[in-house]
Amino acid sequence: MTRSRGLLGVLVGAAFVVFAQAFMIAPILPRLAEVFGVGVGVMGLAVPAYLIPYGVMTLVWGPVADRFGRRPVILVALACFTLLALVTSLAPSTGWFIGLRAAAGLGAAGIVPVSLMLIGDLLDYAERGPAIGWLFGGMAAGMAAGSTAGALAEPMIGWRGLFAVVAVGGALLAVAGARLIPRRLGVSESMSIRAVAAGYAALLRQPRARRCYAYVAVNAVLQSGIYTWLGVYLHGRYGLGPIGIGLALLGYGVPGFAFGPILGRAADRFGRARLIPAGLVVTAVAAAGLALPGSLVLAALLVTLLSLGYDLTQPLLAGIATDLPAARGQAVAFMAVVLFLGFGTGSLVFQAVLPAGFGVAFTIFAASAAVAASAAVPIFAHERPPAPHPA
């Protein structure tokens, strides 16, 4: 990648900060509910309030990035993200907090998806695996750091302090990005509403695209549904406070951060036909394990296993999205909207079945992941590396 280490560092850092602030909410939901004087169920709406607008807004940011380039979109989105994180730290009530989370989702939607587009612009499909692995490794590390540091730091600096720290990180990345992100990549001639709509319609007529997006949605629902409510689960089952919850969730994101580039190289070398179903099997095992009685140490290990399931699926699906024969901004944007709508929907679906108990909810999600894994074997059978040319 041109100016490789510095540029990739900025993109990975931005992914880290965006996902750290997104995932630092889940473990402190009980604390936020206490501060604002509402039920945990009401406070839990802050999660889909951020994720769903994020997903929808990528439909706009993608074509804008195709028309005006990746650089201005990433920088403007970083600026919006930074400002809204700062304003969120001043939220006086639940309504303001949830509303500002929705606004932050709209702004942040132009950062990670457009970074993925930029990687697609700069690297050939057969070489993107490690860079995409690093990007998703940054996201995974942000999940781990957000869920852990949020819970550990909240008693010391408060939830308002957490958002202030995020704002500082966003500002520093915006300054670095202004120096390192290349200009004028991904520029097209038109972004009329009719042309954009036609582009999305043509994209969805492709069987490969439909398969990819369908599994992005399924995977997102499974992962977010389980993860969002882990803080409440750990609090209720093991009596953990914010610090204990943060430590128990520490493993979520570690596999992606540690092995993301390695998994990316494996996808480039061996294809995605086996790795995607394997990731869903890992998710099923993790969810089934959480449904059973067990020690806190086992639960923490299962959280790490759940993260590995995500790392074996979503980055590989993202690689497929960057290779679809369409405007890259639209292809990646549609993947992002499906991903984040799935994230938001997953938390709501899990909440809907939660009255039956965590054991039932985890079992339902485990069975769903197992079915999806079985179906993925024939669906992704063609996602293999091209045969080498004869000498």
Side-chain angles (χ1 to χ4, degrees):
M1 181 182 293
T2 308
R3 306 160 80 180
S4 57
R5 292 187 178 178
L7 174 57
L8 188 57
V10 169
L11 301 183
V12 172
F16 175 91
V17 172
V18 167
F19 275 76
Q21 63 84 39
F23 280 77
M24 73 186 186
I25 299 297
I28 62 172
L29 279 178
R31 173 60 179 161
L32 288 170
E34 179 184 341
V35 168
F36 287 117
V38 297
V40 173
V42 173
M43 203 69 240
L45 294 174
V47 176
Y50 173 83
L51 296 173
I52 292 175
Y54 185 117
V56 172
M57 191 62 185
T58 58
L59 290 175
V60 177
W61 284 125
V64 170
D66 278 341
R67 177 65 181 88
F68 296 105
R70 317 308 188 201
R71 173 189 167 89
V73 170
I74 294 174
L75 294 180
V76 168
L78 268 172
C80 293
F81 171 82
T82 299
L83 178 62
L84 286 164
L86 183 61
V87 175
T88 301
S89 71
L90 307 175
S93 66
T94 306
W96 272 101
F97 184 85
I98 292 175
L100 287 167
R101 293 300 293 152
L106 295 173
I111 301 174
V112 177
V114 181
S115 296
L116 182 59
M117 298 171 201
L118 182 58
I119 290 173
D121 293 338
L122 296 173
L123 293 174
D124 292 334
Y125 180 62
E127 300 173 336
R128 289 173 201 160
I132 293 175
W134 277 114
L135 185 69
F136 276 85
M139 293 163 57
M143 295 175 190
S147 59
T148 302
L152 294 176
E154 195 279 333
M156 294 181 285
I157 64 175
W159 68 268
R160 299 181 191 275
L162 292 174
F163 279 95
V165 170
V166 167
V168 171
L172 293 174
L173 286 163
V175 172
R179 294 181 55 240
L180 294 170
I181 299 174
R183 301 175 183 272
R184 306 304 292 169
L185 283 171
V187 179
S188 63
E189 296 181 357
S190 173
M191 62 164 292
S192 68
I193 294 176
R194 178 175 294 180
V196 170
Y200 281 125
L203 180 64
L204 293 177
R205 283 196 290 270
Q206 302 174 34
R208 189 184 184 207
R210 292 197 299 270
R211 291 192 295 266
C212 175
Y213 296 141
Y215 266 79
V216 168
V218 168
N219 196 48
V221 168
L222 293 170
Q223 287 284 331
S224 177
I226 296 169
Y227 182 84
T228 299
W229 294 96
L230 282 176
V232 178
Y233 165 76
L234 292 168
H235 174 71
R237 185 163 191 173
Y238 300 102
L240 299 182
I243 294 177
I245 291 171
L247 292 173
L249 295 179
L250 179 62
Y252 196 93
V254 170
F257 181 69
F259 305 117
I262 296 173
L263 295 174
R265 290 189 185 95
D268 286 344
R269 181 175 180 181
F270 301 111
R272 292 152 174 85
R274 293 174 180 160
L275 293 178
I276 292 173
L280 288 160
V281 169
V282 170
T283 299
V285 171
L290 288 167
L292 300 173
S295 67
L296 177 57
V297 172
L298 178 60
L301 291 174
L302 289 169
V303 169
T304 305
L305 192 65
L306 178 69
S307 177
L308 179 60
Y310 181 83
D311 300 323
L312 283 166
T313 48
Q314 183 52 40
L316 280 62
L317 292 166
I320 294 173
T322 64
D323 190 51
L324 294 172
R328 183 165 291 121
Q330 289 190 268
V332 174
F334 199 85
M335 181 207 71
V337 71
V338 171
L339 177 66
F340 279 84
L341 286 174
F343 279 161
T345 302
S347 67
L348 294 174
V349 171
F350 197 94
Q351 185 178 13
V353 297
L354 197 51
F358 273 103
V360 173
F362 284 133
T363 300
I364 291 173
F365 272 65
S368 300
V371 171
S374 178
V377 173
I379 287 176
F380 292 100
H382 65 290
E383 294 291 346
R384 300 181 183 276
H389 295 291

